[in-house]
Amino acid sequence: DAEITQSPRHKITETGRQVTLACHQTWNHNNMFWYRQDLGHGLRLIHYSYGVQDTNKGEVSDGYSVSRSNTEDLPLTLESAASSQTSVYFCASSESSAGGPADTQYFGPGTRLTVL
Amino acid sequence: AQSVTQLDSQVPVFEEAPVELRCNYSSSVSVYLFWYVQYPNQGLQLLLKYLSGSTLVESINGFEAEFNKSQTSFHLRKPSVHISDTAEYFCAVTSSGGYQKVTFGTGTKLQVIP
């Protein structure tokens, strides 16, 4: 069955370190998204991609970067981790070309990141 | 710009009782509306969505939601809840005619009490 996986599931790191969270989907979806989930804020969009070599900033992109070199993967990098980036991170994907607004998004299981 | 408001952060309800989870949205253009459910330690999964047509949409596990354009609402209801419905529920909106940038509400935790 097609799926979307994230690794690691849990990560503890120190302030200032570079961290990369992996996201891999086997749906062959064009669109991929990274969100962070924080109490009282729901899910907020960090970055998104509508295809290979395409990346776009979301509403909370400062301190994060992504790259899309193939259809299946969208790794999220924290350039210099800060305590404010302690959160649960979710990757998602959807099918339509150019990110159709009616699409269902399929979510990974999440990565819990703690920055000390 | 679009936004979603879920006023209730937590809703406790006894098993087999009815429940309504409230969602209001704002947008200057036509919208698509979604309810996602998040079970403990899992990612979100789609519960139901409204795209067009009938304003009442249903899920396979007994939930329903009604799109009310005049009140800009998309409340989620179930006539009789089960323990297995304990989860967090997120309302979400996208605007038609553009790329898929989903705005999520802050979530409502439904706690079903035996």
Side-chain angles (χ1 to χ4, degrees):
Chain A
D1 287 346
E3 61 177 355
I4 180 166
T5 57
Q6 295 183 234
S7 62
R9 294 294 312 278
H10 302 271
K11 174 77 175 177
I12 300 174
T13 191
E14 296 177 343
T15 302
R17 290 191 179 268
Q18 184 181 79
V19 176
T20 297
L21 309 183
C23 174
H24 180 79
Q25 53 102 358
T26 58
W27 293 98
N28 200 34
H29 285 167
N30 292 309
N31 315 309
M32 296 184 73
F33 309 83
W34 272 106
Y35 296 91
R36 60 178 289 175
Q37 183 180 28
D38 304 288
L39 196 63
H41 289 279
L43 275 77
R44 293 180 290 175
L45 184 64
I46 306 172
H47 281 286
Y48 57 103
S49 167
Y50 291 136
V52 177
Q53 302 300 333
D54 175 76
T55 61
N56 306 278
K57 293 181 179 180
E59 61 179 307
V60 290
S61 61
D62 287 350
Y64 303 94
S65 64
V66 294
S67 62
R68 186 94 180 268
S69 59
N70 58 52
T71 300
E72 297 79 18
D73 299 290
L74 187 70
L76 177 72
T77 297
L78 286 68
E79 303 293 344
S80 177
S83 57
S84 59
Q85 294 177 308
T86 292
S87 186
V88 180
Y89 291 86
F90 288 99
C91 181
S93 69
S94 68
E95 182 176 15
S96 291
S97 172
D103 273 2
T104 296
Q105 293 199 358
Y106 296 85
F107 284 81
T111 295
R112 185 174 295 274
L113 176 67
T114 302
V115 183
L116 301 177
Chain B
Q2 59 196 27
S3 66
V4 177
T5 301
Q6 293 181 251
L7 287 174
D8 304 308
S9 59
Q10 296 189 50
V11 174
V13 62
F14 286 103
E15 193 173 16
E16 299 184 4
V19 69
E20 178 180 83
L21 306 183
R22 296 180 294 168
C23 172
N24 289 89
Y25 70 92
S26 67
S27 176
S28 58
V29 297
S30 297
V31 297
Y32 300 122
L33 293 157
F34 304 77
W35 276 100
Y36 284 85
V37 58
Q38 184 180 29
Y39 297 103
N41 299 313
Q42 295 185 26
L44 282 70
Q45 54 187 278
L46 181 72
L47 188 61
L48 48 78
K49 64 181 177 182
Y50 170 77
L51 304 182
S52 64
S54 173
T55 58
L56 185 66
V57 290
E58 300 177 349
S59 71
I60 59 173
N61 58 352
F63 282 94
E64 65 180 30
E66 186 162 18
F67 171 59
N68 188 318
K69 187 175 182 180
S70 63
Q71 297 188 9
T72 60
S73 67
F74 191 55
H75 301 332
L76 182 70
R77 303 182 182 94
K78 189 171 185 180
S80 176
V81 296
H82 302 286
I83 292 291
S84 59
D85 295 324
T86 295
E88 190 160 16
Y89 294 80
F90 291 90
C91 184
V93 62
T94 65
S95 297
S96 63
Y99 289 127
Q100 186 185 39
K101 291 177 67 175
V102 184
T103 300
F104 287 88
T106 51
T108 298
K109 290 185 178 178
L110 174 63
Q111 182 183 4
V112 180
I113 304 165

